[in-house]
Amino acid sequence: MNIIPKMSGAALTDDKLILETLLNSEIGKKAIADRQKDVLAFRTSAAKKLAELDAAAGASFPKLRAAREAAEAEAIAAERRWREACDRAQQARQAISTASFAHDAALREAEAKLLSTAHPEIALFVSEMDDAHEACFRQFGYSNGSETNRITGKRVDYTVNNAASIQARQHAIREAQERARQMRLEPDQTTVPARLQELRNGLPAIKGLEW
């Protein structure tokens, strides 16, 4: 249906007149009413959603804030306990360091008293053993030989030495020196000479060459 009246010979209708005519028509009024209805429904839905969000926030946010405050308080307390524990650990390290220093100083003082009054033969024995250790090198010996297999007739060359015997004596010398040094810390020094002689007698001799 043409809602614009025909006007024979009339001037062209401007846009404003056309718009007013459309709005005042049944179709225009219905379109406006439908539009308003849609807008109202949209706004009603948005308002409902807003109310639901506000209600949900009102129910959840107090709990969340309370949980946050509790967690922050717990973290602060934990940090305080950690710092206190760090302080105690530092104090403990300082205490053991101080005690260790005092112990070492007292130990050195006590050892110094024992060393200064140790039997003089101990130092002589240690020096004697240094000379004995060095003398072992001058007793090294070796010999070359050969042997012929009676069946195959093949000749085999070989070398023998007393290196193992020398090493055994040198090892025993070092052990004897260490045992002699330990005697310096013993209260009773009257038995030292006899025990040093036992160490001398116990040193293994350097063996000769064995074929």
Side-chain angles (χ1 to χ4, degrees):
M1 179 178 66
N2 189 355
I3 61 174
I4 302 177
K6 295 182 179 180
M7 301 178 63
S8 179
L12 293 176
T13 305
D14 58 16
D15 293 341
K16 184 177 179 180
L17 179 59
I18 295 174
L19 180 59
E20 289 177 353
T21 302
L22 286 172
L23 292 176
N24 291 327
S25 67
E26 292 299 325
I27 295 176
K29 291 178 180 180
K30 186 176 183 307
I32 292 173
D34 291 343
R35 172 62 178 168
Q36 291 175 343
K37 182 178 179 182
D38 291 342
V39 171
L40 178 60
F42 177 80
R43 289 179 60 80
T44 300
S45 177
K48 181 180 179 182
K49 183 64 175 178
L50 180 62
E52 291 174 350
L53 291 173
D54 286 341
S60 63
F61 272 77
K63 297 178 181 178
L64 293 173
R65 293 189 186 94
R68 181 194 64 188
E69 293 172 357
E72 289 176 346
E74 183 179 356
I76 293 173
E79 183 179 6
R80 185 185 304 111
R81 290 193 298 271
W82 176 77
R83 293 186 180 278
E84 291 173 351
C86 289
D87 291 341
R88 290 193 299 272
Q90 179 61 29
Q91 293 170 3
R93 286 192 292 268
Q94 184 62 38
I96 195 172
S97 178
T98 301
S100 178
F101 180 81
H103 170 75
D104 290 343
L107 188 65
R108 288 192 297 269
E109 182 180 358
E111 287 182 347
K113 292 179 180 179
L114 292 172
L115 294 176
S116 65
T117 56
H119 201 291
E121 286 196 22
I122 295 177
L124 296 175
F125 178 84
V126 172
S127 178
E128 175 189 339
M129 290 298 102
D130 284 335
D131 294 338
H133 188 277
E134 184 65 23
C136 290
F137 293 108
R138 296 191 293 272
Q139 299 183 54
F140 175 74
Y142 71 94
S143 178
N144 298 322
S146 63
E147 191 175 80
T148 302
N149 189 299
R150 296 178 181 179
I151 298 176
T152 63
K154 185 178 180 180
R155 179 179 174 179
V156 178
D157 296 327
Y158 58 86
T159 300
V160 295
N161 60 57
N162 61 350
S165 177
I166 290 176
Q167 290 175 356
R169 180 173 175 83
Q170 288 179 322
H171 181 71
I173 289 173
R174 292 308 187 204
E175 286 188 341
Q177 286 180 310
E178 182 58 29
R179 292 177 62 182
R181 291 189 180 98
Q182 292 174 358
M183 294 180 190
R184 298 177 302 174
L185 301 179
E186 297 176 2
D188 185 7
Q189 297 286 290
T190 59
T191 62
V192 167
R195 292 164 64 192
L196 291 178
Q197 188 58 45
E198 290 178 0
L199 292 177
R200 288 189 186 92
N201 297 338
L203 295 177
I206 297 177
K207 297 179 181 180
L209 299 179
E210 296 180 356
W211 298 90

